[in-house]
mmCIF file with all atom_site columns, all heavy atoms in Angstrom:
data_model
loop_
_atom_site.group_PDB
_atom_site.id
_atom_site.type_symbol
_atom_site.label_atom_id
_atom_site.label_alt_id
_atom_site.label_comp_id
_atom_site.label_asym_id
_atom_site.label_entity_id
_atom_site.label_seq_id
_atom_site.pdbx_PDB_ins_code
_atom_site.Cartn_x
_atom_site.Cartn_y
_atom_site.Cartn_z
_atom_site.occupancy
_atom_site.B_iso_or_equiv
_atom_site.pdbx_formal_charge
_atom_site.auth_seq_id
_atom_site.auth_comp_id
_atom_site.auth_asym_id
_atom_site.auth_atom_id
_atom_site.pdbx_PDB_model_num
ATOM 1   N N   . MET A 1 1  ? 1.319   34.533 -30.402 1.00 0.00 ? 1  MET A N   1
ATOM 2   C CA  . MET A 1 1  ? 1.323   35.770 -31.196 1.00 0.00 ? 1  MET A CA  1
ATOM 3   C C   . MET A 1 1  ? -0.076  36.308 -31.297 1.00 0.00 ? 1  MET A C   1
ATOM 4   O O   . MET A 1 1  ? -0.999  35.561 -31.511 1.00 0.00 ? 1  MET A O   1
ATOM 5   C CB  . MET A 1 1  ? 1.896   35.403 -32.631 1.00 0.00 ? 1  MET A CB  1
ATOM 6   C CG  . MET A 1 1  ? 1.696   36.468 -33.592 1.00 0.00 ? 1  MET A CG  1
ATOM 7   S SD  . MET A 1 1  ? 2.529   36.103 -35.105 1.00 0.00 ? 1  MET A SD  1
ATOM 8   C CE  . MET A 1 1  ? 4.182   36.128 -34.748 1.00 0.00 ? 1  MET A CE  1
ATOM 9   N N   . ALA A 1 2  ? -0.159  37.573 -31.047 1.00 0.00 ? 2  ALA A N   1
ATOM 10  C CA  . ALA A 1 2  ? -1.509  38.192 -31.093 1.00 0.00 ? 2  ALA A CA  1
ATOM 11  C C   . ALA A 1 2  ? -2.003  38.291 -32.623 1.00 0.00 ? 2  ALA A C   1
ATOM 12  O O   . ALA A 1 2  ? -1.142  38.315 -33.502 1.00 0.00 ? 2  ALA A O   1
ATOM 13  C CB  . ALA A 1 2  ? -1.489  39.542 -30.489 1.00 0.00 ? 2  ALA A CB  1
ATOM 14  N N   . ARG A 1 3  ? -3.225  38.398 -32.746 1.00 0.00 ? 3  ARG A N   1
ATOM 15  C CA  . ARG A 1 3  ? -3.857  38.477 -34.088 1.00 0.00 ? 3  ARG A CA  1
ATOM 16  C C   . ARG A 1 3  ? -3.436  39.892 -34.774 1.00 0.00 ? 3  ARG A C   1
ATOM 17  O O   . ARG A 1 3  ? -3.360  40.020 -35.935 1.00 0.00 ? 3  ARG A O   1
ATOM 18  C CB  . ARG A 1 3  ? -5.310  38.420 -34.096 1.00 0.00 ? 3  ARG A CB  1
ATOM 19  C CG  . ARG A 1 3  ? -5.898  38.253 -35.437 1.00 0.00 ? 3  ARG A CG  1
ATOM 20  C CD  . ARG A 1 3  ? -7.469  37.859 -35.401 1.00 0.00 ? 3  ARG A CD  1
ATOM 21  N NE  . ARG A 1 3  ? -7.514  36.491 -34.808 1.00 0.00 ? 3  ARG A NE  1
ATOM 22  C CZ  . ARG A 1 3  ? -7.709  35.395 -35.525 1.00 0.00 ? 3  ARG A CZ  1
ATOM 23  N NH1 . ARG A 1 3  ? -7.659  35.386 -36.803 1.00 0.00 ? 3  ARG A NH1 1
ATOM 24  N NH2 . ARG A 1 3  ? -7.854  34.301 -34.958 1.00 0.00 ? 3  ARG A NH2 1
ATOM 25  N N   . GLU A 1 4  ? -3.124  40.907 -33.914 1.00 0.00 ? 4  GLU A N   1
ATOM 26  C CA  . GLU A 1 4  ? -2.653  42.140 -34.507 1.00 0.00 ? 4  GLU A CA  1
ATOM 27  C C   . GLU A 1 4  ? -1.323  42.105 -35.195 1.00 0.00 ? 4  GLU A C   1
ATOM 28  O O   . GLU A 1 4  ? -1.003  42.842 -36.013 1.00 0.00 ? 4  GLU A O   1
ATOM 29  C CB  . GLU A 1 4  ? -2.746  43.263 -33.396 1.00 0.00 ? 4  GLU A CB  1
ATOM 30  C CG  . GLU A 1 4  ? -3.963  43.546 -32.738 1.00 0.00 ? 4  GLU A CG  1
ATOM 31  C CD  . GLU A 1 4  ? -4.228  42.602 -31.713 1.00 0.00 ? 4  GLU A CD  1
ATOM 32  O OE1 . GLU A 1 4  ? -3.329  42.094 -30.969 1.00 0.00 ? 4  GLU A OE1 1
ATOM 33  O OE2 . GLU A 1 4  ? -5.441  42.325 -31.472 1.00 0.00 ? 4  GLU A OE2 1
ATOM 34  N N   . ASP A 1 5  ? -0.500  41.065 -34.831 1.00 0.00 ? 5  ASP A N   1
ATOM 35  C CA  . ASP A 1 5  ? 0.849   40.896 -35.399 1.00 0.00 ? 5  ASP A CA  1
ATOM 36  C C   . ASP A 1 5  ? 0.731   40.282 -36.781 1.00 0.00 ? 5  ASP A C   1
ATOM 37  O O   . ASP A 1 5  ? 1.875   40.347 -37.452 1.00 0.00 ? 5  ASP A O   1
ATOM 38  C CB  . ASP A 1 5  ? 1.638   40.030 -34.513 1.00 0.00 ? 5  ASP A CB  1
ATOM 39  C CG  . ASP A 1 5  ? 1.914   40.782 -33.109 1.00 0.00 ? 5  ASP A CG  1
ATOM 40  O OD1 . ASP A 1 5  ? 1.723   41.933 -33.035 1.00 0.00 ? 5  ASP A OD1 1
ATOM 41  O OD2 . ASP A 1 5  ? 2.340   40.016 -32.211 1.00 0.00 ? 5  ASP A OD2 1
ATOM 42  N N   . LEU A 1 6  ? -0.363  39.677 -37.199 1.00 0.00 ? 6  LEU A N   1
ATOM 43  C CA  . LEU A 1 6  ? -0.352  39.048 -38.483 1.00 0.00 ? 6  LEU A CA  1
ATOM 44  C C   . LEU A 1 6  ? -0.447  39.997 -39.602 1.00 0.00 ? 6  LEU A C   1
ATOM 45  O O   . LEU A 1 6  ? -1.160  41.135 -39.478 1.00 0.00 ? 6  LEU A O   1
ATOM 46  C CB  . LEU A 1 6  ? -1.619  38.156 -38.612 1.00 0.00 ? 6  LEU A CB  1
ATOM 47  C CG  . LEU A 1 6  ? -1.542  36.957 -37.435 1.00 0.00 ? 6  LEU A CG  1
ATOM 48  C CD1 . LEU A 1 6  ? -2.869  36.122 -37.578 1.00 0.00 ? 6  LEU A CD1 1
ATOM 49  C CD2 . LEU A 1 6  ? -0.342  36.134 -37.705 1.00 0.00 ? 6  LEU A CD2 1
ATOM 50  N N   . ILE A 1 7  ? 0.080   39.713 -40.794 1.00 0.00 ? 7  ILE A N   1
ATOM 51  C CA  . ILE A 1 7  ? -0.029  40.489 -41.982 1.00 0.00 ? 7  ILE A CA  1
ATOM 52  C C   . ILE A 1 7  ? -1.216  40.062 -42.803 1.00 0.00 ? 7  ILE A C   1
ATOM 53  O O   . ILE A 1 7  ? -1.261  38.816 -43.075 1.00 0.00 ? 7  ILE A O   1
ATOM 54  C CB  . ILE A 1 7  ? 1.256   40.405 -42.793 1.00 0.00 ? 7  ILE A CB  1
ATOM 55  C CG1 . ILE A 1 7  ? 2.495   40.913 -42.012 1.00 0.00 ? 7  ILE A CG1 1
ATOM 56  C CG2 . ILE A 1 7  ? 1.088   41.152 -44.081 1.00 0.00 ? 7  ILE A CG2 1
ATOM 57  C CD1 . ILE A 1 7  ? 3.776   40.599 -42.574 1.00 0.00 ? 7  ILE A CD1 1
ATOM 58  N N   . GLU A 1 8  ? -2.196  40.916 -43.097 1.00 0.00 ? 8  GLU A N   1
ATOM 59  C CA  . GLU A 1 8  ? -3.393  40.463 -43.828 1.00 0.00 ? 8  GLU A CA  1
ATOM 60  C C   . GLU A 1 8  ? -3.133  40.470 -45.435 1.00 0.00 ? 8  GLU A C   1
ATOM 61  O O   . GLU A 1 8  ? -2.856  41.577 -45.943 1.00 0.00 ? 8  GLU A O   1
ATOM 62  C CB  . GLU A 1 8  ? -4.542  41.372 -43.530 1.00 0.00 ? 8  GLU A CB  1
ATOM 63  C CG  . GLU A 1 8  ? -5.192  41.258 -42.255 1.00 0.00 ? 8  GLU A CG  1
ATOM 64  C CD  . GLU A 1 8  ? -6.022  39.980 -42.113 1.00 0.00 ? 8  GLU A CD  1
ATOM 65  O OE1 . GLU A 1 8  ? -6.739  39.557 -43.188 1.00 0.00 ? 8  GLU A OE1 1
ATOM 66  O OE2 . GLU A 1 8  ? -5.998  39.201 -41.062 1.00 0.00 ? 8  GLU A OE2 1
ATOM 67  N N   . LEU A 1 9  ? -3.276  39.425 -46.034 1.00 0.00 ? 9  LEU A N   1
ATOM 68  C CA  . LEU A 1 9  ? -3.082  39.329 -47.480 1.00 0.00 ? 9  LEU A CA  1
ATOM 69  C C   . LEU A 1 9  ? -4.315  38.575 -48.055 1.00 0.00 ? 9  LEU A C   1
ATOM 70  O O   . LEU A 1 9  ? -5.022  37.830 -47.422 1.00 0.00 ? 9  LEU A O   1
ATOM 71  C CB  . LEU A 1 9  ? -1.923  38.441 -47.817 1.00 0.00 ? 9  LEU A CB  1
ATOM 72  C CG  . LEU A 1 9  ? -0.560  38.942 -47.275 1.00 0.00 ? 9  LEU A CG  1
ATOM 73  C CD1 . LEU A 1 9  ? 0.543   37.982 -47.522 1.00 0.00 ? 9  LEU A CD1 1
ATOM 74  C CD2 . LEU A 1 9  ? -0.180  40.248 -48.048 1.00 0.00 ? 9  LEU A CD2 1
ATOM 75  N N   . GLU A 1 10 ? -4.542  38.881 -49.320 1.00 0.00 ? 10 GLU A N   1
ATOM 76  C CA  . GLU A 1 10 ? -5.800  38.171 -50.002 1.00 0.00 ? 10 GLU A CA  1
ATOM 77  C C   . GLU A 1 10 ? -5.164  37.281 -51.073 1.00 0.00 ? 10 GLU A C   1
ATOM 78  O O   . GLU A 1 10 ? -4.148  37.481 -51.642 1.00 0.00 ? 10 GLU A O   1
ATOM 79  C CB  . GLU A 1 10 ? -6.630  39.333 -50.606 1.00 0.00 ? 10 GLU A CB  1
ATOM 80  C CG  . GLU A 1 10 ? -7.284  40.091 -49.700 1.00 0.00 ? 10 GLU A CG  1
ATOM 81  C CD  . GLU A 1 10 ? -8.457  40.837 -50.312 1.00 0.00 ? 10 GLU A CD  1
ATOM 82  O OE1 . GLU A 1 10 ? -8.784  40.589 -51.485 1.00 0.00 ? 10 GLU A OE1 1
ATOM 83  O OE2 . GLU A 1 10 ? -8.920  41.877 -49.767 1.00 0.00 ? 10 GLU A OE2 1
ATOM 84  N N   . GLY A 1 11 ? -5.980  36.149 -51.315 1.00 0.00 ? 11 GLY A N   1
ATOM 85  C CA  . GLY A 1 11 ? -5.601  35.108 -52.330 1.00 0.00 ? 11 GLY A CA  1
ATOM 86  C C   . GLY A 1 11 ? -6.819  34.373 -52.627 1.00 0.00 ? 11 GLY A C   1
ATOM 87  O O   . GLY A 1 11 ? -7.950  34.499 -52.248 1.00 0.00 ? 11 GLY A O   1
ATOM 88  N N   . THR A 1 12 ? -6.540  33.246 -53.463 1.00 0.00 ? 12 THR A N   1
ATOM 89  C CA  . THR A 1 12 ? -7.440  32.355 -53.958 1.00 0.00 ? 12 THR A CA  1
ATOM 90  C C   . THR A 1 12 ? -7.159  30.987 -53.569 1.00 0.00 ? 12 THR A C   1
ATOM 91  O O   . THR A 1 12 ? -5.954  30.627 -53.695 1.00 0.00 ? 12 THR A O   1
ATOM 92  C CB  . THR A 1 12 ? -7.576  32.511 -55.451 1.00 0.00 ? 12 THR A CB  1
ATOM 93  O OG1 . THR A 1 12 ? -7.818  33.748 -55.852 1.00 0.00 ? 12 THR A OG1 1
ATOM 94  C CG2 . THR A 1 12 ? -8.826  31.540 -56.092 1.00 0.00 ? 12 THR A CG2 1
ATOM 95  N N   . ILE A 1 13 ? -8.128  30.134 -53.207 1.00 0.00 ? 13 ILE A N   1
ATOM 96  C CA  . ILE A 1 13 ? -7.824  28.690 -52.780 1.00 0.00 ? 13 ILE A CA  1
ATOM 97  C C   . ILE A 1 13 ? -7.474  27.938 -54.141 1.00 0.00 ? 13 ILE A C   1
ATOM 98  O O   . ILE A 1 13 ? -8.375  28.006 -55.070 1.00 0.00 ? 13 ILE A O   1
ATOM 99  C CB  . ILE A 1 13 ? -9.100  28.027 -52.083 1.00 0.00 ? 13 ILE A CB  1
ATOM 100 C CG1 . ILE A 1 13 ? -9.433  28.968 -50.858 1.00 0.00 ? 13 ILE A CG1 1
ATOM 101 C CG2 . ILE A 1 13 ? -8.848  26.655 -51.880 1.00 0.00 ? 13 ILE A CG2 1
ATOM 102 C CD1 . ILE A 1 13 ? -8.432  28.841 -49.752 1.00 0.00 ? 13 ILE A CD1 1
ATOM 103 N N   . THR A 1 14 ? -6.471  27.270 -54.140 1.00 0.00 ? 14 THR A N   1
ATOM 104 C CA  . THR A 1 14 ? -6.006  26.516 -55.331 1.00 0.00 ? 14 THR A CA  1
ATOM 105 C C   . THR A 1 14 ? -6.014  25.088 -55.153 1.00 0.00 ? 14 THR A C   1
ATOM 106 O O   . THR A 1 14 ? -6.128  24.298 -56.134 1.00 0.00 ? 14 THR A O   1
ATOM 107 C CB  . THR A 1 14 ? -4.569  26.969 -55.869 1.00 0.00 ? 14 THR A CB  1
ATOM 108 O OG1 . THR A 1 14 ? -3.751  26.727 -54.864 1.00 0.00 ? 14 THR A OG1 1
ATOM 109 C CG2 . THR A 1 14 ? -4.652  28.446 -56.335 1.00 0.00 ? 14 THR A CG2 1
ATOM 110 N N   . ASP A 1 15 ? -5.924  24.582 -53.846 1.00 0.00 ? 15 ASP A N   1
ATOM 111 C CA  . ASP A 1 15 ? -5.897  23.169 -53.546 1.00 0.00 ? 15 ASP A CA  1
ATOM 112 C C   . ASP A 1 15 ? -6.375  22.944 -52.156 1.00 0.00 ? 15 ASP A C   1
ATOM 113 O O   . ASP A 1 15 ? -6.192  23.733 -51.267 1.00 0.00 ? 15 ASP A O   1
ATOM 114 C CB  . ASP A 1 15 ? -4.565  22.619 -53.734 1.00 0.00 ? 15 ASP A CB  1
ATOM 115 C CG  . ASP A 1 15 ? -4.434  21.197 -53.862 1.00 0.00 ? 15 ASP A CG  1
ATOM 116 O OD1 . ASP A 1 15 ? -5.451  20.560 -54.126 1.00 0.00 ? 15 ASP A OD1 1
ATOM 117 O OD2 . ASP A 1 15 ? -3.245  20.689 -53.779 1.00 0.00 ? 15 ASP A OD2 1
ATOM 118 N N   . VAL A 1 16 ? -7.143  21.774 -52.046 1.00 0.00 ? 16 VAL A N   1
ATOM 119 C CA  . VAL A 1 16 ? -7.749  21.475 -50.659 1.00 0.00 ? 16 VAL A CA  1
ATOM 120 C C   . VAL A 1 16 ? -7.016  20.182 -50.271 1.00 0.00 ? 16 VAL A C   1
ATOM 121 O O   . VAL A 1 16 ? -6.946  19.183 -51.057 1.00 0.00 ? 16 VAL A O   1
ATOM 122 C CB  . VAL A 1 16 ? -9.208  21.244 -50.862 1.00 0.00 ? 16 VAL A CB  1
ATOM 123 C CG1 . VAL A 1 16 ? -9.793  20.842 -49.525 1.00 0.00 ? 16 VAL A CG1 1
ATOM 124 C CG2 . VAL A 1 16 ? -9.952  22.478 -51.367 1.00 0.00 ? 16 VAL A CG2 1
ATOM 125 N N   . HIS A 1 17 ? -6.475  20.092 -49.096 1.00 0.00 ? 17 HIS A N   1
ATOM 126 C CA  . HIS A 1 17 ? -5.768  18.997 -48.514 1.00 0.00 ? 17 HIS A CA  1
ATOM 127 C C   . HIS A 1 17 ? -6.661  18.467 -47.408 1.00 0.00 ? 17 HIS A C   1
ATOM 128 O O   . HIS A 1 17 ? -7.279  19.117 -46.710 1.00 0.00 ? 17 HIS A O   1
ATOM 129 C CB  . HIS A 1 17 ? -4.383  19.373 -47.959 1.00 0.00 ? 17 HIS A CB  1
ATOM 130 C CG  . HIS A 1 17 ? -3.532  19.977 -49.138 1.00 0.00 ? 17 HIS A CG  1
ATOM 131 N ND1 . HIS A 1 17 ? -2.977  19.296 -50.124 1.00 0.00 ? 17 HIS A ND1 1
ATOM 132 C CD2 . HIS A 1 17 ? -3.112  21.320 -49.281 1.00 0.00 ? 17 HIS A CD2 1
ATOM 133 C CE1 . HIS A 1 17 ? -2.324  20.125 -50.799 1.00 0.00 ? 17 HIS A CE1 1
ATOM 134 N NE2 . HIS A 1 17 ? -2.343  21.403 -50.479 1.00 0.00 ? 17 HIS A NE2 1
ATOM 135 N N   . PRO A 1 18 ? -6.311  17.108 -47.009 1.00 0.00 ? 18 PRO A N   1
ATOM 136 C CA  . PRO A 1 18 ? -7.116  16.587 -45.792 1.00 0.00 ? 18 PRO A CA  1
ATOM 137 C C   . PRO A 1 18 ? -6.535  17.210 -44.482 1.00 0.00 ? 18 PRO A C   1
ATOM 138 O O   . PRO A 1 18 ? -5.461  17.813 -44.428 1.00 0.00 ? 18 PRO A O   1
ATOM 139 C CB  . PRO A 1 18 ? -6.654  15.175 -45.916 1.00 0.00 ? 18 PRO A CB  1
ATOM 140 C CG  . PRO A 1 18 ? -5.713  14.963 -47.040 1.00 0.00 ? 18 PRO A CG  1
ATOM 141 C CD  . PRO A 1 18 ? -5.507  16.219 -47.725 1.00 0.00 ? 18 PRO A CD  1
ATOM 142 N N   . GLY A 1 19 ? -7.378  17.223 -43.504 1.00 0.00 ? 19 GLY A N   1
ATOM 143 C CA  . GLY A 1 19 ? -7.061  17.785 -42.193 1.00 0.00 ? 19 GLY A CA  1
ATOM 144 C C   . GLY A 1 19 ? -7.268  19.263 -42.128 1.00 0.00 ? 19 GLY A C   1
ATOM 145 O O   . GLY A 1 19 ? -6.749  19.888 -41.197 1.00 0.00 ? 19 GLY A O   1
ATOM 146 N N   . GLY A 1 20 ? -8.032  19.857 -42.967 1.00 0.00 ? 20 GLY A N   1
ATOM 147 C CA  . GLY A 1 20 ? -8.358  21.258 -42.863 1.00 0.00 ? 20 GLY A CA  1
ATOM 148 C C   . GLY A 1 20 ? -7.256  22.216 -43.340 1.00 0.00 ? 20 GLY A C   1
ATOM 149 O O   . GLY A 1 20 ? -7.232  23.323 -43.012 1.00 0.00 ? 20 GLY A O   1
ATOM 150 N N   . LEU A 1 21 ? -6.361  21.772 -44.280 1.00 0.00 ? 21 LEU A N   1
ATOM 151 C CA  . LEU A 1 21 ? -5.333  22.525 -44.867 1.00 0.00 ? 21 LEU A CA  1
ATOM 152 C C   . LEU A 1 21 ? -5.686  22.933 -46.337 1.00 0.00 ? 21 LEU A C   1
ATOM 153 O O   . LEU A 1 21 ? -6.384  22.184 -46.984 1.00 0.00 ? 21 LEU A O   1
ATOM 154 C CB  . LEU A 1 21 ? -4.006  21.845 -44.824 1.00 0.00 ? 21 LEU A CB  1
ATOM 155 C CG  . LEU A 1 21 ? -3.290  21.749 -43.517 1.00 0.00 ? 21 LEU A CG  1
ATOM 156 C CD1 . LEU A 1 21 ? -1.970  20.873 -43.723 1.00 0.00 ? 21 LEU A CD1 1
ATOM 157 C CD2 . LEU A 1 21 ? -2.939  23.029 -42.935 1.00 0.00 ? 21 LEU A CD2 1
ATOM 158 N N   . PHE A 1 22 ? -5.337  24.170 -46.688 1.00 0.00 ? 22 PHE A N   1
ATOM 159 C CA  . PHE A 1 22 ? -5.595  24.675 -48.055 1.00 0.00 ? 22 PHE A CA  1
ATOM 160 C C   . PHE A 1 22 ? -4.388  25.300 -48.560 1.00 0.00 ? 22 PHE A C   1
ATOM 161 O O   . PHE A 1 22 ? -3.458  25.823 -47.799 1.00 0.00 ? 22 PHE A O   1
ATOM 162 C CB  . PHE A 1 22 ? -6.691  25.790 -47.946 1.00 0.00 ? 22 PHE A CB  1
ATOM 163 C CG  . PHE A 1 22 ? -8.012  25.162 -47.415 1.00 0.00 ? 22 PHE A CG  1
ATOM 164 C CD1 . PHE A 1 22 ? -8.232  25.338 -46.070 1.00 0.00 ? 22 PHE A CD1 1
ATOM 165 C CD2 . PHE A 1 22 ? -8.947  24.655 -48.325 1.00 0.00 ? 22 PHE A CD2 1
ATOM 166 C CE1 . PHE A 1 22 ? -9.504  24.878 -45.516 1.00 0.00 ? 22 PHE A CE1 1
ATOM 167 C CE2 . PHE A 1 22 ? -10.143 24.296 -47.743 1.00 0.00 ? 22 PHE A CE2 1
ATOM 168 C CZ  . PHE A 1 22 ? -10.419 24.319 -46.402 1.00 0.00 ? 22 PHE A CZ  1
ATOM 169 N N   . THR A 1 23 ? -4.190  25.176 -49.839 1.00 0.00 ? 23 THR A N   1
ATOM 170 C CA  . THR A 1 23 ? -3.122  25.901 -50.659 1.00 0.00 ? 23 THR A CA  1
ATOM 171 C C   . THR A 1 23 ? -3.719  27.111 -51.108 1.00 0.00 ? 23 THR A C   1
ATOM 172 O O   . THR A 1 23 ? -4.759  27.223 -51.807 1.00 0.00 ? 23 THR A O   1
ATOM 173 C CB  . THR A 1 23 ? -2.509  25.096 -51.734 1.00 0.00 ? 23 THR A CB  1
ATOM 174 O OG1 . THR A 1 23 ? -1.937  23.934 -51.155 1.00 0.00 ? 23 THR A OG1 1
ATOM 175 C CG2 . THR A 1 23 ? -1.426  25.838 -52.441 1.00 0.00 ? 23 THR A CG2 1
ATOM 176 N N   . VAL A 1 24 ? -3.170  28.325 -50.759 1.00 0.00 ? 24 VAL A N   1
ATOM 177 C CA  . VAL A 1 24 ? -3.726  29.592 -51.188 1.00 0.00 ? 24 VAL A CA  1
ATOM 178 C C   . VAL A 1 24 ? -2.540  30.303 -52.039 1.00 0.00 ? 24 VAL A C   1
ATOM 179 O O   . VAL A 1 24 ? -1.536  30.470 -51.786 1.00 0.00 ? 24 VAL A O   1
ATOM 180 C CB  . VAL A 1 24 ? -3.963  30.501 -49.912 1.00 0.00 ? 24 VAL A CB  1
ATOM 181 C CG1 . VAL A 1 24 ? -4.433  31.820 -50.307 1.00 0.00 ? 24 VAL A CG1 1
ATOM 182 C CG2 . VAL A 1 24 ? -4.940  29.868 -48.936 1.00 0.00 ? 24 VAL A CG2 1
ATOM 183 N N   . LYS A 1 25 ? -3.089  30.719 -53.223 1.00 0.00 ? 25 LYS A N   1
ATOM 184 C CA  . LYS A 1 25 ? -2.227  31.532 -54.154 1.00 0.00 ? 25 LYS A CA  1
ATOM 185 C C   . LYS A 1 25 ? -2.506  32.980 -53.829 1.00 0.00 ? 25 LYS A C   1
ATOM 186 O O   . LYS A 1 25 ? -3.743  33.578 -54.027 1.00 0.00 ? 25 LYS A O   1
ATOM 187 C CB  . LYS A 1 25 ? -2.678  31.206 -55.623 1.00 0.00 ? 25 LYS A CB  1
ATOM 188 C CG  . LYS A 1 25 ? -2.046  32.146 -56.691 1.00 0.00 ? 25 LYS A CG  1
ATOM 189 C CD  . LYS A 1 25 ? -0.560  31.900 -56.677 1.00 0.00 ? 25 LYS A CD  1
ATOM 190 C CE  . LYS A 1 25 ? 0.064   32.724 -57.870 1.00 0.00 ? 25 LYS A CE  1
ATOM 191 N NZ  . LYS A 1 25 ? 1.492   32.819 -57.683 1.00 0.00 ? 25 LYS A NZ  1
ATOM 192 N N   . LEU A 1 26 ? -1.486  33.719 -53.294 1.00 0.00 ? 26 LEU A N   1
ATOM 193 C CA  . LEU A 1 26 ? -1.555  35.030 -52.942 1.00 0.00 ? 26 LEU A CA  1
ATOM 194 C C   . LEU A 1 26 ? -1.590  35.945 -54.148 1.00 0.00 ? 26 LEU A C   1
ATOM 195 O O   . LEU A 1 26 ? -0.956  35.630 -55.110 1.00 0.00 ? 26 LEU A O   1
ATOM 196 C CB  . LEU A 1 26 ? -0.427  35.405 -51.928 1.00 0.00 ? 26 LEU A CB  1
ATOM 197 C CG  . LEU A 1 26 ? -0.494  34.647 -50.598 1.00 0.00 ? 26 LEU A CG  1
ATOM 198 C CD1 . LEU A 1 26 ? 0.852   35.100 -49.815 1.00 0.00 ? 26 LEU A CD1 1
ATOM 199 C CD2 . LEU A 1 26 ? -1.662  34.897 -49.850 1.00 0.00 ? 26 LEU A CD2 1
ATOM 200 N N   . ASP A 1 27 ? -2.261  37.111 -53.997 1.00 0.00 ? 27 ASP A N   1
ATOM 201 C CA  . ASP A 1 27 ? -2.317  38.061 -55.117 1.00 0.00 ? 27 ASP A CA  1
ATOM 202 C C   . ASP A 1 27 ? -0.918  38.609 -55.423 1.00 0.00 ? 27 ASP A C   1
ATOM 203 O O   . ASP A 1 27 ? -0.538  38.858 -56.542 1.00 0.00 ? 27 ASP A O   1
ATOM 204 C CB  . ASP A 1 27 ? -3.203  39.165 -54.730 1.00 0.00 ? 27 ASP A CB  1
ATOM 205 C CG  . ASP A 1 27 ? -4.742  38.749 -54.761 1.00 0.00 ? 27 ASP A CG  1
ATOM 206 O OD1 . ASP A 1 27 ? -4.885  37.612 -55.368 1.00 0.00 ? 27 ASP A OD1 1
ATOM 207 O OD2 . ASP A 1 27 ? -5.484  39.479 -54.160 1.00 0.00 ? 27 ASP A OD2 1
ATOM 208 N N   . GLN A 1 28 ? -0.064  38.836 -54.255 1.00 0.00 ? 28 GLN A N   1
ATOM 209 C CA  . GLN A 1 28 ? 1.092   39.343 -54.482 1.00 0.00 ? 28 GLN A CA  1
ATOM 210 C C   . GLN A 1 28 ? 2.297   38.617 -54.073 1.00 0.00 ? 28 GLN A C   1
ATOM 211 O O   . GLN A 1 28 ? 3.265   39.100 -53.411 1.00 0.00 ? 28 GLN A O   1
ATOM 212 C CB  . GLN A 1 28 ? 1.216   40.730 -53.740 1.00 0.00 ? 28 GLN A CB  1
ATOM 213 C CG  . GLN A 1 28 ? 0.630   40.623 -52.365 1.00 0.00 ? 28 GLN A CG  1
ATOM 214 C CD  . GLN A 1 28 ? 0.525   41.885 -51.541 1.00 0.00 ? 28 GLN A CD  1
ATOM 215 O OE1 . GLN A 1 28 ? 1.502   42.260 -50.874 1.00 0.00 ? 28 GLN A OE1 1
ATOM 216 N NE2 . GLN A 1 28 ? -0.462  42.633 -51.720 1.00 0.00 ? 28 GLN A NE2 1
ATOM 217 N N   . GLY A 1 29 ? 2.252   37.243 -54.391 1.00 0.00 ? 29 GLY A N   1
ATOM 218 C CA  . GLY A 1 29 ? 3.315   36.543 -53.908 1.00 0.00 ? 29 GLY A CA  1
ATOM 219 C C   . GLY A 1 29 ? 3.161   34.972 -54.257 1.00 0.00 ? 29 GLY A C   1
ATOM 220 O O   . GLY A 1 29 ? 2.314   34.659 -55.071 1.00 0.00 ? 29 GLY A O   1
ATOM 221 N N   . PRO A 1 30 ? 3.834   34.140 -53.453 1.00 0.00 ? 30 PRO A N   1
ATOM 222 C CA  . PRO A 1 30 ? 3.825   32.680 -53.847 1.00 0.00 ? 30 PRO A CA  1
ATOM 223 C C   . PRO A 1 30 ? 2.637   31.970 -53.147 1.00 0.00 ? 30 PRO A C   1
ATOM 224 O O   . PRO A 1 30 ? 1.883   32.538 -52.521 1.00 0.00 ? 30 PRO A O   1
ATOM 225 C CB  . PRO A 1 30 ? 5.185   32.251 -53.088 1.00 0.00 ? 30 PRO A CB  1
ATOM 226 C CG  . PRO A 1 30 ? 5.277   33.089 -51.929 1.00 0.00 ? 30 PRO A CG  1
ATOM 227 C CD  . PRO A 1 30 ? 4.821   34.384 -52.408 1.00 0.00 ? 30 PRO A CD  1
ATOM 228 N N   . ASP A 1 31 ? 2.586   30.623 -53.325 1.00 0.00 ? 31 ASP A N   1
ATOM 229 C CA  . ASP A 1 31 ? 1.576   29.818 -52.764 1.00 0.00 ? 31 ASP A CA  1
ATOM 230 C C   . ASP A 1 31 ? 1.946   29.584 -51.321 1.00 0.00 ? 31 ASP A C   1
ATOM 231 O O   . ASP A 1 31 ? 3.158   29.523 -50.889 1.00 0.00 ? 31 ASP A O   1
ATOM 232 C CB  . ASP A 1 31 ? 1.441   28.487 -53.365 1.00 0.00 ? 31 ASP A CB  1
ATOM 233 C CG  . ASP A 1 31 ? 0.944   28.586 -54.779 1.00 0.00 ? 31 ASP A CG  1
ATOM 234 O OD1 . ASP A 1 31 ? 0.329   29.699 -55.213 1.00 0.00 ? 31 ASP A OD1 1
ATOM 235 O OD2 . ASP A 1 31 ? 0.864   27.624 -55.650 1.00 0.00 ? 31 ASP A OD2 1
ATOM 236 N N   . ILE A 1 32 ? 0.993   29.559 -50.328 1.00 0.00 ? 32 ILE A N   1
ATOM 237 C CA  . ILE A 1 32 ? 1.274   29.295 -48.985 1.00 0.00 ? 32 ILE A CA  1
ATOM 238 C C   . ILE A 1 32 ? 0.218   28.193 -48.459 1.00 0.00 ? 32 ILE A C   1
ATOM 239 O O   . ILE A 1 32 ? -0.852  27.988 -49.185 1.00 0.00 ? 32 ILE A O   1
ATOM 240 C CB  . ILE A 1 32 ? 1.184   30.503 -48.078 1.00 0.00 ? 32 ILE A CB  1
ATOM 241 C CG1 . ILE A 1 32 ? -0.266  31.083 -47.998 1.00 0.00 ? 32 ILE A CG1 1
ATOM 242 C CG2 . ILE A 1 32 ? 2.188   31.542 -48.543 1.00 0.00 ? 32 ILE A CG2 1
ATOM 243 C CD1 . ILE A 1 32 ? -0.462  32.120 -46.975 1.00 0.00 ? 32 ILE A CD1 1
#
């Protein structure tokens, strides 16, 4: 998938997981 196909959203980091994963609370939606 090309980078142009991605939907850009903003959010805040709420949790840090091992292995370089983060939980992000989006401004207009759920946690991802």
Side-chain angles (χ1 to χ4, degrees):
M1 172 174 290
R3 191 166 298 262
E4 297 85 31
D5 295 340
L6 298 177
I7 301 167
E8 284 286 324
L9 301 172
E10 290 194 18
T12 305
I13 301 291
T14 58
D15 198 11
V16 180
H17 302 287
L21 286 176
F22 299 91
T23 301
V24 180
K25 172 67 176 162
L26 298 177
D27 292 342
Q28 44 182 271
D31 293 349
I32 65 168

